[in-house]
Coordinates of all heavy atoms in Angstrom, one line a residue:
M656 N 0.4 18.7 -45.4 CA -0.2 19.7 -44.6 C -1.2 20.4 -45.5 O -0.9 20.8 -46.7 CB 0.9 20.7 -44.1 CG 0.3 21.8 -43.3 SD 1.6 22.8 -42.6 CE 1.1 22.9 -41.0
T657 N -2.4 20.6 -45.0 CA -3.5 21.3 -45.7 C -3.3 22.8 -45.6 O -2.9 23.3 -44.6 CB -4.9 20.9 -45.3 OG1 -5.0 21.2 -43.9 CG2 -5.1 19.4 -45.5
S658 N -3.8 23.5 -46.7 CA -3.7 25.0 -46.6 C -4.8 25.5 -45.8 O -5.8 24.8 -45.5 CB -3.8 25.5 -48.1 OG -5.1 25.3 -48.6
L659 N -4.7 26.8 -45.5 CA -5.7 27.5 -44.7 C -7.1 27.5 -45.5 O -8.1 27.3 -44.9 CB -5.3 28.9 -44.4 CG -6.3 29.8 -43.6 CD1 -6.6 29.1 -42.3 CD2 -5.7 31.2 -43.4
A660 N -7.0 27.7 -46.8 CA -8.2 27.6 -47.6 C -8.9 26.3 -47.6 O -10.1 26.2 -47.5 CB -7.9 28.0 -49.0
E661 N -8.1 25.2 -47.6 CA -8.7 23.9 -47.5 C -9.3 23.6 -46.2 O -10.4 23.0 -46.1 CB -7.6 22.8 -47.8 CG -7.1 22.8 -49.3 CD -5.9 21.9 -49.5 OE1 -5.1 21.8 -48.6 OE2 -5.9 21.3 -50.6
Q662 N -8.6 24.0 -45.1 CA -9.1 23.9 -43.7 C -10.5 24.6 -43.6 O -11.4 24.1 -43.0 CB -8.1 24.3 -42.7 CG -6.9 23.5 -42.6 CD -5.9 24.1 -41.7 OE1 -6.0 25.1 -41.1 NE2 -4.8 23.4 -41.5
T663 N -10.5 25.8 -44.1 CA -11.7 26.7 -44.0 C -12.9 26.0 -44.8 O -14.0 26.0 -44.3 CB -11.5 28.1 -44.5 OG1 -10.4 28.7 -43.8 CG2 -12.7 29.0 -44.4
S664 N -12.5 25.5 -45.9 CA -13.5 24.8 -46.8 C -14.1 23.6 -46.1 O -15.3 23.4 -46.1 CB -12.9 24.5 -48.1 OG -13.9 23.7 -48.9
M665 N -13.2 22.8 -45.4 CA -13.6 21.6 -44.7 C -14.5 22.0 -43.5 O -15.5 21.3 -43.3 CB -12.4 20.8 -44.3 CG -11.8 20.1 -45.4 SD -10.2 19.2 -45.1 CE -10.2 18.8 -43.4
R666 N -14.2 23.0 -42.8 CA -15.0 23.5 -41.6 C -16.4 23.9 -42.1 O -17.4 23.6 -41.5 CB -14.3 24.6 -40.9 CG -13.4 24.1 -39.8 CD -12.8 25.2 -38.9 NE -11.4 25.3 -39.4 CZ -10.8 26.4 -39.5 NH1 -11.3 27.6 -39.2 NH2 -9.5 26.5 -39.9
L667 N -16.4 24.7 -43.2 CA -17.7 25.2 -43.7 C -18.5 24.0 -44.1 O -19.7 24.0 -43.9 CB -17.4 26.2 -44.8 CG -18.7 26.8 -45.5 CD1 -19.5 27.5 -44.4 CD2 -18.3 27.7 -46.6
Q668 N -17.9 23.0 -44.8 CA -18.7 21.9 -45.2 C -19.3 21.1 -44.0 O -20.4 20.6 -44.1 CB -17.8 21.0 -46.1 CG -18.5 19.8 -46.7 CD -17.5 19.0 -47.6 OE1 -16.3 19.1 -47.6 NE2 -18.1 18.1 -48.4
N669 N -18.5 21.0 -43.0 CA -19.0 20.3 -41.8 C -20.1 21.0 -41.1 O -21.1 20.4 -40.7 CB -17.8 20.1 -40.8 CG -16.8 19.1 -41.2 OD1 -17.1 18.2 -42.0 ND2 -15.6 19.2 -40.7
V670 N -20.0 22.4 -41.1 CA -21.1 23.2 -40.5 C -22.4 23.0 -41.3 O -23.5 22.8 -40.8 CB -20.7 24.6 -40.4 CG1 -21.9 25.5 -40.1 CG2 -19.6 24.8 -39.3
L671 N -22.3 23.1 -42.6 CA -23.4 23.0 -43.5 C -24.0 21.6 -43.4 O -25.3 21.4 -43.4 CB -23.1 23.3 -44.9 CG -22.7 24.8 -45.2 CD1 -22.2 24.9 -46.6 CD2 -23.9 25.7 -44.9
S672 N -23.2 20.6 -43.3 CA -23.7 19.2 -43.2 C -24.5 19.0 -41.8 O -25.5 18.4 -41.8 CB -22.5 18.2 -43.2 OG -23.0 16.9 -43.1
R673 N -23.9 19.6 -40.7 CA -24.6 19.5 -39.5 C -26.0 20.2 -39.5 O -27.0 19.7 -39.0 CB -23.8 20.0 -38.3 CG -22.9 18.9 -37.7 CD -22.2 19.5 -36.5 NE -20.9 20.0 -37.1 CZ -20.2 21.0 -36.7 NH1 -20.7 21.8 -35.8 NH2 -19.1 21.4 -37.3
D674 N -26.0 21.4 -40.1 CA -27.2 22.1 -40.2 C -28.3 21.4 -41.0 O -29.4 21.4 -40.7 CB -27.0 23.5 -40.9 CG -26.3 24.5 -40.0 OD1 -26.2 24.2 -38.7 OD2 -25.9 25.6 -40.4
K675 N -27.8 20.7 -42.1 CA -28.7 20.0 -42.9 C -29.3 18.8 -42.1 O -30.5 18.5 -42.2 CB -28.0 19.5 -44.2 CG -28.8 19.0 -45.3 CD -28.0 18.6 -46.5 CE -28.5 19.0 -47.8 NZ -27.7 18.5 -48.9
N676 N -28.5 18.1 -41.3 CA -29.0 17.0 -40.5 C -29.9 17.4 -39.5 O -30.9 16.7 -39.2 CB -27.8 16.2 -39.9 CG -27.0 15.4 -41.0 OD1 -27.6 15.1 -42.0 ND2 -25.8 15.2 -40.7
Q677 N -29.7 18.6 -38.8 CA -30.6 19.1 -37.8 C -32.0 19.5 -38.5 O -33.0 19.2 -37.9 CB -30.0 20.3 -37.1 CG -28.9 20.0 -36.1 CD -28.3 21.2 -35.5 OE1 -28.5 22.3 -36.0 NE2 -27.6 21.0 -34.4
Q678 N -31.9 20.0 -39.6 CA -33.1 20.3 -40.3 C -34.0 19.1 -40.6 O -35.2 19.2 -40.4 CB -32.8 21.0 -41.7 CG -34.0 21.5 -42.5 CD -33.6 22.0 -43.8 OE1 -32.4 22.0 -44.2 NE2 -34.5 22.6 -44.5
T679 N -33.4 18.0 -40.9 CA -34.2 16.8 -41.2 C -34.8 16.3 -39.9 O -36.0 15.8 -39.9 CB -33.3 15.7 -41.8 OG1 -32.3 15.3 -40.9 CG2 -32.8 16.1 -43.2
T680 N -34.2 16.3 -38.8 CA -34.8 15.9 -37.5 C -35.9 16.8 -37.1 O -36.9 16.3 -36.5 CB -33.7 15.7 -36.4 OG1 -33.1 17.0 -36.2 CG2 -32.7 14.7 -36.7
N681 N -35.8 18.0 -37.4 CA -36.9 19.0 -37.0 C -38.1 18.8 -37.8 O -39.3 19.0 -37.3 CB -36.4 20.4 -37.1 CG -35.4 20.7 -36.1 OD1 -35.2 20.1 -35.0 ND2 -34.6 21.8 -36.4
I682 N -38.0 18.4 -39.0 CA -39.2 18.3 -39.9 C -39.8 16.9 -40.0 O -40.9 16.8 -40.4 CB -38.8 18.8 -41.4 CG1 -40.0 19.1 -42.1 CG2 -38.0 17.7 -42.1 CD1 -39.8 19.9 -43.4
T683 N -39.1 15.9 -39.5 CA -39.6 14.5 -39.6 C -40.9 14.3 -38.9 O -41.8 13.7 -39.4 CB -38.5 13.5 -39.1 OG1 -37.3 13.7 -39.9 CG2 -39.0 12.1 -39.2
A684 N -41.1 14.9 -37.7 CA -42.3 14.7 -36.9 C -43.5 15.4 -37.7 O -44.6 14.8 -37.7 CB -42.1 15.3 -35.5
A685 N -43.3 16.6 -38.2 CA -44.4 17.2 -38.9 C -44.7 16.5 -40.2 O -45.9 16.3 -40.5 CB -44.0 18.7 -39.2
L686 N -43.7 16.0 -40.9 CA -43.9 15.3 -42.1 C -44.7 14.0 -41.8 O -45.6 13.6 -42.5 CB -42.6 15.0 -42.8 CG -42.6 14.4 -44.1 CD1 -43.4 15.2 -45.1 CD2 -41.2 14.2 -44.6
R687 N -44.3 13.3 -40.8 CA -45.0 12.1 -40.4 C -46.4 12.3 -40.1 O -47.3 11.6 -40.5 CB -44.3 11.5 -39.2 CG -44.9 10.2 -38.7 CD -44.3 9.7 -37.4 NE -45.0 8.6 -36.9 CZ -44.8 7.3 -37.1 NH1 -43.8 7.0 -37.8 NH2 -45.6 6.4 -36.5
A688 N -46.7 13.4 -39.3 CA -48.1 13.7 -39.0 C -49.0 14.0 -40.3 O -50.1 13.5 -40.4 CB -48.2 14.9 -38.0
D689 N -48.4 14.7 -41.2 CA -49.1 15.1 -42.4 C -49.3 13.8 -43.3 O -50.4 13.6 -43.8 CB -48.3 16.1 -43.2 CG -48.4 17.5 -42.6 OD1 -49.3 17.7 -41.8 OD2 -47.6 18.4 -43.1
L690 N -48.3 12.9 -43.3 CA -48.5 11.7 -44.1 C -49.4 10.8 -43.5 O -50.2 10.1 -44.2 CB -47.1 11.1 -44.3 CG -46.2 11.7 -45.3 CD1 -44.8 11.2 -45.3 CD2 -46.8 11.6 -46.8
E691 N -49.5 10.7 -42.2 CA -50.4 9.8 -41.5 C -51.9 10.3 -41.8 O -52.7 9.5 -42.1 CB -50.2 9.8 -40.0 CG -49.1 8.9 -39.5 CD -48.9 8.9 -38.0 OE1 -49.4 9.9 -37.4 OE2 -48.3 8.0 -37.5
H692 N -52.1 11.6 -41.8 CA -53.4 12.1 -42.1 C -53.8 11.8 -43.6 O -54.9 11.4 -43.9 CB -53.4 13.6 -41.9 CG -54.7 14.3 -42.2 ND1 -55.8 14.1 -41.3 CD2 -55.1 15.1 -43.2 CE1 -56.8 14.8 -41.9 NE2 -56.4 15.4 -43.0
L693 N -52.8 12.1 -44.5 CA -53.1 11.9 -45.9 C -53.3 10.4 -46.2 O -54.3 10.0 -46.8 CB -51.9 12.4 -46.8 CG -52.0 12.1 -48.3 CD1 -53.2 12.9 -48.9 CD2 -50.7 12.4 -48.9
L694 N -52.4 9.5 -45.8 CA -52.5 8.1 -46.1 C -53.7 7.5 -45.4 O -54.3 6.5 -45.9 CB -51.2 7.4 -45.8 CG -50.0 7.7 -46.6 CD1 -48.8 7.0 -46.1 CD2 -50.3 7.4 -48.1
G695 N -54.1 8.1 -44.2 CA -55.2 7.6 -43.4 C -56.5 7.8 -44.2 O -57.5 7.1 -43.9
E696 N -56.6 8.7 -45.1 CA -57.8 8.8 -46.0 C -58.0 7.7 -46.9 O -59.1 7.4 -47.3 CB -57.7 10.1 -46.8 CG -57.7 11.4 -45.9 CD -59.0 11.6 -45.2 OE1 -60.0 11.4 -45.9 OE2 -59.0 12.1 -44.1
Y697 N -56.9 7.0 -47.3 CA -57.0 5.9 -48.2 C -56.7 4.5 -47.6 O -57.2 3.5 -48.2 CB -55.9 6.1 -49.3 CG -56.1 7.4 -50.1 CD1 -55.5 8.6 -49.7 CD2 -57.0 7.4 -51.2 CE1 -55.7 9.7 -50.4 CE2 -57.2 8.6 -51.9 CZ -56.5 9.7 -51.5 OH -56.8 10.9 -52.2
L698 N -56.0 4.5 -46.5 CA -55.6 3.2 -45.9 C -56.0 3.1 -44.4 O -56.0 4.2 -43.8 CB -54.1 3.0 -46.0 CG -53.5 3.1 -47.4 CD1 -52.0 3.2 -47.3 CD2 -53.9 1.9 -48.3
D699 N -56.3 2.0 -43.9 CA -56.4 1.7 -42.5 C -55.0 1.4 -42.0 O -54.6 0.3 -42.0 CB -57.4 0.6 -42.2 CG -57.6 0.4 -40.7 OD1 -57.2 1.2 -39.9 OD2 -58.2 -0.7 -40.4
L700 N -54.2 2.5 -41.7 CA -52.8 2.3 -41.3 C -52.6 1.5 -40.1 O -53.3 1.7 -39.1 CB -52.2 3.7 -41.2 CG -51.9 4.5 -42.4 CD1 -51.3 5.9 -42.1 CD2 -50.9 3.8 -43.3
K701 N -51.6 0.7 -40.1 CA -51.2 -0.1 -39.0 C -49.9 0.5 -38.4 O -49.7 0.6 -37.2 CB -51.0 -1.6 -39.3 CG -50.6 -2.5 -38.2 CD -50.6 -3.9 -38.7 CE -50.2 -4.8 -37.6 NZ -50.1 -6.2 -38.0
N702 N -49.0 0.9 -39.3 CA -47.7 1.4 -39.0 C -47.2 2.3 -40.1 O -47.4 2.0 -41.3 CB -46.7 0.2 -38.8 CG -45.4 0.6 -38.2 OD1 -45.3 1.7 -37.7 ND2 -44.4 -0.2 -38.2
L703 N -46.5 3.4 -39.7 CA -45.9 4.3 -40.7 C -44.5 4.6 -40.2 O -44.3 5.1 -39.0 CB -46.7 5.5 -40.9 CG -46.2 6.6 -41.8 CD1 -46.2 6.0 -43.3 CD2 -47.0 7.8 -41.8
E704 N -43.5 4.4 -41.0 CA -42.1 4.8 -40.6 C -41.5 5.6 -41.7 O -41.8 5.4 -42.9 CB -41.2 3.5 -40.5 CG -41.7 2.6 -39.3 CD -40.8 1.4 -39.2 OE1 -39.6 1.5 -39.6 OE2 -41.3 0.4 -38.8
L705 N -40.8 6.7 -41.3 CA -40.1 7.6 -42.3 C -38.6 7.5 -42.1 O -38.2 7.5 -41.0 CB -40.6 9.0 -42.1 CG -42.1 9.3 -42.3 CD1 -42.3 10.8 -42.0 CD2 -42.6 8.9 -43.6
L706 N -37.9 7.6 -43.2 CA -36.5 7.8 -43.2 C -36.2 9.0 -44.1 O -36.4 8.9 -45.3 CB -35.8 6.5 -43.6 CG -34.3 6.5 -43.7 CD1 -33.7 6.8 -42.3 CD2 -33.8 5.2 -44.2
L707 N -35.7 10.0 -43.5 CA -35.3 11.2 -44.3 C -33.8 11.4 -44.1 O -33.3 11.6 -43.0 CB -36.1 12.5 -43.7 CG -35.9 13.8 -44.5 CD1 -36.3 13.7 -45.9 CD2 -36.6 14.9 -43.7
E708 N -33.1 11.3 -45.3 CA -31.7 11.4 -45.3 C -31.3 12.6 -46.2 O -31.9 12.8 -47.2 CB -31.1 10.1 -45.8 CG -31.4 8.9 -45.0 CD -30.9 7.6 -45.7 OE1 -31.5 7.3 -46.7 OE2 -30.0 7.1 -45.2
S709 N -30.2 13.2 -45.8 CA -29.7 14.3 -46.7 C -28.7 13.6 -47.7 O -28.0 12.6 -47.3 CB -29.0 15.4 -45.9 OG -27.9 14.8 -45.2
S710 N -28.6 14.1 -48.9 CA -27.6 13.7 -49.8 C -27.0 14.9 -50.5 O -27.4 16.0 -50.3 CB -28.3 12.8 -50.9 OG -29.2 13.5 -51.7
E711 N -26.0 14.6 -51.3 CA -25.4 15.8 -52.0 C -26.3 16.5 -52.9 O -26.2 17.7 -53.1 CB -24.2 15.3 -52.8 CG -23.0 14.8 -51.9 CD -21.8 14.5 -52.7 OE1 -21.7 14.9 -53.9 OE2 -20.9 13.8 -52.2
S712 N -27.3 15.8 -53.5 CA -28.2 16.5 -54.4 C -29.5 17.0 -53.8 O -30.4 17.5 -54.4 CB -28.5 15.6 -55.6 OG -29.1 14.4 -55.1
G713 N -29.7 16.8 -52.4 CA -30.9 17.2 -51.8 C -31.2 16.2 -50.6 O -30.4 16.0 -49.7
F714 N -32.4 15.7 -50.7 CA -32.9 14.8 -49.6 C -33.5 13.5 -50.3 O -34.0 13.5 -51.4 CB -33.9 15.4 -48.8 CG -33.4 16.6 -47.9 CD1 -33.4 17.8 -48.4 CD2 -32.8 16.3 -46.7 CE1 -32.9 18.9 -47.7 CE2 -32.3 17.3 -45.9 CZ -32.3 18.6 -46.4
I715 N -33.4 12.4 -49.5 CA -34.1 11.2 -49.9 C -35.1 10.8 -48.8 O -34.8 10.7 -47.6 CB -33.0 10.0 -50.0 CG1 -32.0 10.4 -51.0 CG2 -33.7 8.7 -50.3 CD1 -30.8 9.5 -51.0
L716 N -36.4 10.7 -49.2 CA -37.4 10.3 -48.3 C -37.9 8.9 -48.6 O -38.3 8.6 -49.7 CB -38.6 11.3 -48.4 CG -39.9 10.9 -47.6 CD1 -39.6 10.9 -46.1 CD2 -41.0 11.9 -48.0
T717 N -37.8 8.0 -47.6 CA -38.3 6.6 -47.8 C -39.4 6.5 -46.8 O -39.3 6.8 -45.6 CB -37.1 5.6 -47.5 OG1 -36.0 6.0 -48.2 CG2 -37.6 4.2 -47.8
I718 N -40.5 6.0 -47.3 CA -41.7 5.8 -46.5 C -42.1 4.3 -46.5 O -42.2 3.6 -47.5 CB -42.9 6.5 -47.1 CG1 -42.6 8.0 -47.2 CG2 -44.2 6.3 -46.3 CD1 -43.6 8.8 -48.1
F719 N -42.2 3.7 -45.2 CA -42.6 2.4 -45.0 C -44.0 2.4 -44.4 O -44.1 2.9 -43.3 CB -41.6 1.6 -44.1 CG -40.3 1.5 -44.7 CD1 -39.3 2.4 -44.2 CD2 -39.9 0.6 -45.6 CE1 -38.0 2.4 -44.7 CE2 -38.6 0.5 -46.1 CZ -37.7 1.4 -45.6
A720 N -45.0 1.9 -45.1 CA -46.4 2.0 -44.5 C -47.0 0.5 -44.5 O -46.9 -0.2 -45.5 CB -47.2 2.9 -45.3
R721 N -47.5 0.2 -43.4 CA -48.3 -1.1 -43.3 C -49.7 -0.7 -43.1 O -50.0 0.1 -42.3 CB -47.8 -2.0 -42.2 CG -46.4 -2.5 -42.4 CD -46.0 -3.4 -41.3 NE -44.6 -3.8 -41.4 CZ -44.2 -4.9 -42.1 NH1 -45.1 -5.7 -42.7 NH2 -42.9 -5.2 -42.2
A722 N -50.6 -1.4 -43.8 CA -52.0 -1.1 -43.7 C -52.8 -2.4 -43.5 O -52.5 -3.4 -44.0 CB -52.5 -0.4 -44.9
R723 N -53.9 -2.3 -42.7 CA -54.7 -3.5 -42.5 C -55.6 -3.7 -43.7 O -55.9 -4.8 -44.1 CB -55.6 -3.2 -41.3 CG -54.9 -3.2 -40.0 CD -55.8 -2.9 -38.8 NE -55.1 -2.7 -37.6 CZ -54.5 -1.5 -37.2 NH1 -54.7 -0.5 -38.0 NH2 -53.8 -1.4 -36.1
S724 N -56.0 -2.5 -44.3 CA -56.9 -2.6 -45.5 C -56.8 -1.3 -46.2 O -56.4 -0.3 -45.7 CB -58.3 -3.0 -45.1 OG -58.8 -2.0 -44.3
I725 N -57.4 -1.3 -47.5 CA -57.6 -0.1 -48.2 C -59.0 0.3 -48.0 O -59.9 -0.5 -48.1 CB -57.3 -0.4 -49.7 CG1 -55.8 -0.8 -49.9 CG2 -57.7 0.8 -50.6 CD1 -55.5 -1.2 -51.4
R726 N -59.2 1.6 -47.8 CA -60.6 2.0 -47.5 C -61.4 1.9 -48.8 O -61.0 2.1 -49.9 CB -60.5 3.5 -47.1 CG -59.8 3.7 -45.8 CD -60.2 4.9 -45.1 NE -59.4 5.2 -43.9 CZ -59.6 4.6 -42.7 NH1 -60.6 3.8 -42.5 NH2 -58.8 4.9 -41.7
N727 N -62.7 1.5 -48.6 CA -63.6 1.3 -49.7 C -64.3 2.6 -50.0 O -65.0 3.3 -49.2 CB -64.7 0.3 -49.2 CG -65.6 -0.2 -50.4 OD1 -65.3 0.2 -51.5 ND2 -66.6 -0.9 -50.1
F728 N -64.2 3.1 -51.3 CA -64.9 4.3 -51.7 C -66.0 3.9 -52.7 O -65.7 3.2 -53.7 CB -63.9 5.2 -52.5 CG -62.9 5.8 -51.6 CD1 -61.6 5.3 -51.6 CD2 -63.2 6.8 -50.7 CE1 -60.6 5.8 -50.8 CE2 -62.2 7.4 -49.9 CZ -60.9 6.9 -49.9
K729 N -67.2 4.3 -52.4 CA -68.3 4.0 -53.3 C -68.3 4.9 -54.5 O -68.5 4.5 -55.6 CB -69.6 4.1 -52.6 CG -69.8 3.1 -51.5 CD -71.1 3.2 -50.8 CE -71.1 2.1 -49.7 NZ -72.3 2.0 -49.0
H730 N -67.9 6.2 -54.3 CA -67.9 7.1 -55.4 C -66.6 7.9 -55.3 O -66.3 8.4 -54.2 CB -69.1 8.0 -55.5 CG -70.4 7.3 -55.6 ND1 -70.7 6.7 -56.8 CD2 -71.3 7.0 -54.7 CE1 -71.9 6.1 -56.6 NE2 -72.3 6.3 -55.4
I731 N -65.9 8.1 -56.3 CA -64.7 8.9 -56.3 C -64.9 10.2 -57.0 O -65.5 10.3 -58.0 CB -63.5 8.2 -56.9 CG1 -63.2 7.0 -56.0 CG2 -62.3 9.1 -56.9 CD1 -62.0 6.1 -56.5

């Protein structure tokens, strides 16, 4: 049988975990739009996918980008 302190700790951990997951879904669309704009300056994007996951130490962002070509710059 778990103690009241352990049960409270587990409930708090679940609430914090749910809040963290909701935060990632809310920011993914904005992050995707910003990255499309930024990468679009350098690449002719065909497809962009984001995976934003929470972890114990913070967040993990994985970006999958497919491009038709790299934009040609005459002068940088």
